[in-house]
Amino acid sequence: MTIKPSNQLVKSALSGHSWLGLCVSALMYLICLTGTLSVFFEEFERWEQPEIEEYSTYSTKQIETALSYFSNRIEKTPESVYVVLPTQAVPRIHISGDGKEWFVNQNGSLSSPPEEGWTHGLKALHTTLHLPQTLGLIVVGALGAMLCGLIVSGLLAHPRIFKDAFRLRLGGNKRLEQADVHNRLGVWGTPFYLMIGLTGAYIGLISVLVAFAAPAFYDGDREAIIEAVYGGDPELSQPVVPFNIENAFETLAREHPDATPIYMVFQKMDTEQQFLEIAATLPGRLIYSEMYRFTTTGELLDHQRLSDGPVARQVAYSVYRLHFGHFGTGWTKIVYGLLGAGLTIIAATGVNIWLARRKKVSCANDMWLAMVWGTPLALAVSVITNNLWQLPVSGFWLTLLSSIILCCVFKGGSRSKTILIRLTGLSLVLVMYQYYLKFGSFDLNPAALKINMAIILMLSVYLLLVIKRFFIKR
Amino acid sequence: MNDYFYFPVIINFIGIAVIYACWNHFNRNKFALNFVGWGVITISMLFWVEFYGAEYGIVFSCISISITGLLCLGVNYQRRPQKVVQKNYQNNWIGVRQTSTRFLTFLVAGPLALFACCALCLLIPHWFSEQRSHNLVLAAFLLPILWGLVSFWVCAKDELLVPFVVILLTGIFSSLILFL
């Protein structure tokens, strides 16, 4: 017995899928592309500031020295001071509080502040589309929800999608080719894309739900909801003395030997309620971290029960790593990057199918082409504008706008595409040139080397393709 | 990466290869072969979970199925000469009626549907108040799925009136239950 949906259902599902996809296409493409790159944001941050000292071991004396330097540099003691510890992905320490932040040298002295450069712009583009924080998060969360809707409707709209799971016809009819790429990438990546959409929507829409739930259940107290889900802070009253960090680390190592500290927070500093939190990852767990709380003397108070508390709390705290692929080894990031690129292609081919089905060509074709090929160009140009004038955001949007105008003026699909690809290549060459000029080397740290090698490899492949095409033409 | 990394990868690959071979070569016993293929994939999932724990294991398993499937696709593709169809360049201005219809669709599928879905999802923690924090998280995960599906439904309908009325009434009734 086979369950076959009626033709009417398939037709209306296809229509709904097409319209929903078209409505969100441009922003979806932007989010998917920037999301794919954002998987590697830690590497990009190290690439942007390769001169910062890197090390994987640290001492409590180093942290204490950094704390005293930090206290001297700021005017007022912040309520919370964060010390982010070195990890395999980011072997650097940085200290922050009240919006002030510095990297820490191996001797405990403070180094440069982290730059709000290109990577910051990239992350902001992915998480908020450069809109005001809350609005941007909601818009991006809404796109996550639409992605979930598109996945389910895509499966409903294509009854043969599993039957044709291995069929990929390239060339020939343009619409058929684009449909094959769209459907095949879609069907094989479904579980991953659903996971990404769901976790992304959760991150973005949680504020909307909290705004609704607070008056309904907690008399408008939003903090109470956060506390109910994630757990609250301990209530303490103790003499104000300096923190015994060494004792806290020793206690943690003794009581929870599996835990690997990733950052620490000095909460309510210089008050009787002060306490120390050490966030630590646990092997095989997707939760961002478990929070171990200590008194000023370094005695373990409790842990927030993010790893062994209510299931809902564990699930809610696992969303970040699951969405960004920051767990396991470096391979996880690479696979996330590949599947993210797949989702970007799905977003692009979805609109291509709609355009190919039309009997005419219009400025919509040019604008979409500009969106698809202009976004990588805009991202490359934003690196240059960031290096020259610290303006990555304006650089990005101005380039994208120029690409759209250029494509609408030229009105020639393939010609505009070639120009945009060449300009992207040229921009990447300029990025490499600027990088060498600024830092004098491509391998100041392993992350910088990997990213520079990836860019050089991309440029080489492109150059080889251009040469090949040139000889074929002759 | 531990020493057992290749084991579930290989088993997963065998599972996908069986399904691929069945799709590509066999006309008979398709159901049985597909069953065997998915069975092997399930076994590979168990190995992922065994070696990496439940959380990493399930995610790695899903990812490995995607990657292996796409690799098979890369092996199986057919390339034909590109057919270039010349089309006329023609810009048609979108009419006021069409623009307003699309704007209304956006309002119904966007903010209105979000309001209704939020209120509907929050009925779970409202009715099951003993484990409210649990159910709030459940509602937070349910919201995007529900909203996505409702938006899809609005876009799939030719007429906007029915979705508008249904969504509006759902939102109002759910809110009344929540706040009264």
Side-chain angles (χ1 to χ4, degrees), chain B residues 24 114 118-119 142 153 156 174:
Chain B
N24 207 18
L114 174 63
C118 262
L142 206 62
W153 177 58
S174 306

Side-chain angles (χ1 to χ4, degrees), chain B residues 2-123:
Chain B
N2 70 36
D3 298 337
Y4 306 118
F5 168 67
Y6 297 102
F7 200 59
V9 171
I10 290 166
I11 295 179
N12 173 70
F13 188 79
I14 292 169
I16 298 278
V18 169
I19 295 171
Y20 173 63
C22 164
W23 179 85
N24 207 18
H25 300 296
F26 297 97
N27 286 322
R28 287 179 185 177
N29 295 329
K30 275 201 169 200
F31 177 78
L33 272 171
N34 269 322
F35 186 78
V36 170
W38 284 110
V40 174
I41 289 169
T42 311
I43 292 169
S44 84
M45 191 179 268
L46 295 176
F47 275 113
W48 279 115
V49 171
E50 177 66 26
F51 293 147
Y52 290 92
E55 294 179 13
Y56 281 22
I58 291 169
V59 180
F60 285 162
S61 174
C62 290
I63 287 174
S64 67
I65 293 170
S66 301
I67 293 287
T68 321
L70 291 172
L71 280 176
C72 288
L73 211 58
V75 172
N76 190 57
Y77 78 91
Q78 303 160 7
R79 185 172 276 285
R80 287 172 295 181
Q82 191 90 48
K83 276 185 199 163
V84 182
V85 182
Q86 289 297 332
K87 292 179 183 176
N88 289 334
Y89 196 98
Q90 189 186 356
N91 276 327
N92 288 347
W93 292 105
I94 303 168
V96 179
R97 191 182 158 81
Q98 210 177 353
T99 312
S100 55
T101 310
R102 280 178 193 172
F103 182 68
L104 285 176
T105 310
F106 165 76
L107 285 183
V108 175
L112 185 68
L114 174 63
F115 152 72
C117 292
C118 262
L120 198 63
C121 287
L122 284 176
L123 288 180

Side-chain angles (χ1 to χ4, degrees), chain A residues 12-13 146 153 163 165-166 168-172 184 188 201 285-286 329 331 335 356 358 360-363 366, chain B residues 1 23 55 63 66 73 76-78 80-81 83 87-92 102 133 144 147-148 151-152 156:
Chain A
S12 56
M146 294 308 124
S153 61
K163 231 174 215 175
F166 293 105
L168 181 62
R169 292 157 293 187
L170 301 175
R184 297 306 95 76
W188 284 110
R285 299 303 308 272
L286 286 170
T329 61
W331 280 105
V335 173
R358 296 192 321 160
K360 54 170 187 172
V361 182
S362 68
C363 67
D366 298 318
Chain B
M1 198 154 292
W23 179 85
E55 294 179 13
I63 287 174
S66 301
L73 211 58
N76 190 57
Y77 78 91
Q78 303 160 7
R80 287 172 295 181
K83 276 185 199 163
K87 292 179 183 176
N88 289 334
Y89 196 98
Q90 189 186 356
N91 276 327
N92 288 347
R102 280 178 193 172
S133 62
W147 188 21
S151 303
F152 157 62

Side-chain angles (χ1 to χ4, degrees), chain A residues 195-460:
Chain A
M195 182 182 81
I196 293 294
L198 207 54
T199 49
Y202 176 88
I203 296 168
L205 295 178
I206 192 75
S207 59
V208 178
L209 202 82
V210 167
F212 254 83
F217 307 127
Y218 294 91
D219 297 326
D221 186 0
R222 294 184 188 191
E223 288 297 316
I225 296 184
I226 308 292
E227 209 165 284
V229 175
Y230 293 106
D233 284 345
E235 293 295 329
L236 288 170
S237 180
Q238 53 186 342
V240 181
V241 290
F243 284 100
N244 189 337
I245 302 169
E246 190 159 5
N247 199 19
F249 273 114
E250 278 172 8
T251 311
L252 181 66
R254 193 175 56 247
E255 301 277 329
H256 300 279
D258 278 353
T260 309
I262 52 167
Y263 71 92
M264 51 204 295
V265 194
F266 298 89
Q267 295 282 22
K268 298 171 186 168
M269 264 186 102
D270 296 340
T271 66
E272 286 183 353
Q273 293 81 41
Q274 67 176 2
F275 64 96
L276 171 65
E277 282 182 322
I278 298 182
T281 53
L282 296 170
R285 299 303 308 272
L286 286 170
I287 52 159
Y288 188 75
S289 63
E290 178 56 274
M291 302 295 285
Y292 298 97
R293 275 101 62 120
F294 298 87
T295 61
T296 41
T297 54
E299 282 169 44
L300 184 63
L301 277 167
D302 60 3
H303 61 279
Q304 210 173 324
R305 307 203 62 208
L306 297 163
S307 61
D308 56 1
V311 177
R313 188 179 294 179
Q314 296 183 44
V315 172
Y317 215 53
S318 301
V319 162
Y320 175 87
R321 288 196 187 278
L322 208 50
H323 187 78
F324 283 98
H326 287 189
F327 61 94
T329 61
W331 280 105
T332 317
K333 280 187 185 177
I334 293 172
V335 173
Y336 260 65
L338 287 173
L339 290 172
L343 191 55
T344 314
I345 295 172
I346 293 171
T349 48
V351 180
N352 288 349
I353 296 168
W354 180 77
L355 290 172
R357 207 186 286 153
R358 296 192 321 160
K359 288 191 177 84
K360 54 170 187 172
V361 182
S362 68
C363 67
N365 294 63
D366 298 318
M367 285 164 85
W368 181 244
L369 190 130
M371 190 69 210
V372 171
W373 296 104
T375 308
L377 169 65
L379 285 168
V381 171
S382 64
V383 181
I384 299 168
T385 54
N386 175 59
N387 288 339
L388 291 175
W389 308 292
Q390 282 80 48
L391 290 172
V393 176
S394 330
F396 175 82
W397 289 109
L398 280 176
T399 312
L400 192 57
L401 191 68
S402 311
S403 304
I404 292 171
I405 294 169
L406 181 125
C407 288
C408 287
V409 168
F410 275 126
K411 288 181 186 171
S414 59
R415 198 165 128 215
S416 312
K417 183 177 152 184
T418 311
I419 292 171
L420 290 176
I421 294 174
R422 284 185 186 165
L423 283 174
T424 309
L426 194 68
S427 307
L428 287 176
V429 171
L430 270 174
V431 168
M432 287 289 89
Y433 175 69
Q434 272 187 332
Y435 195 88
Y436 192 78
L437 221 58
K438 193 172 174 185
F439 301 111
S441 172
F442 286 134
D443 60 348
L444 286 173
N445 65 45
L449 179 67
K450 278 178 205 164
I451 288 174
N452 287 324
M453 289 308 290
I455 296 174
I456 292 168
L457 191 72
M458 267 196 300
L459 285 170
S460 312

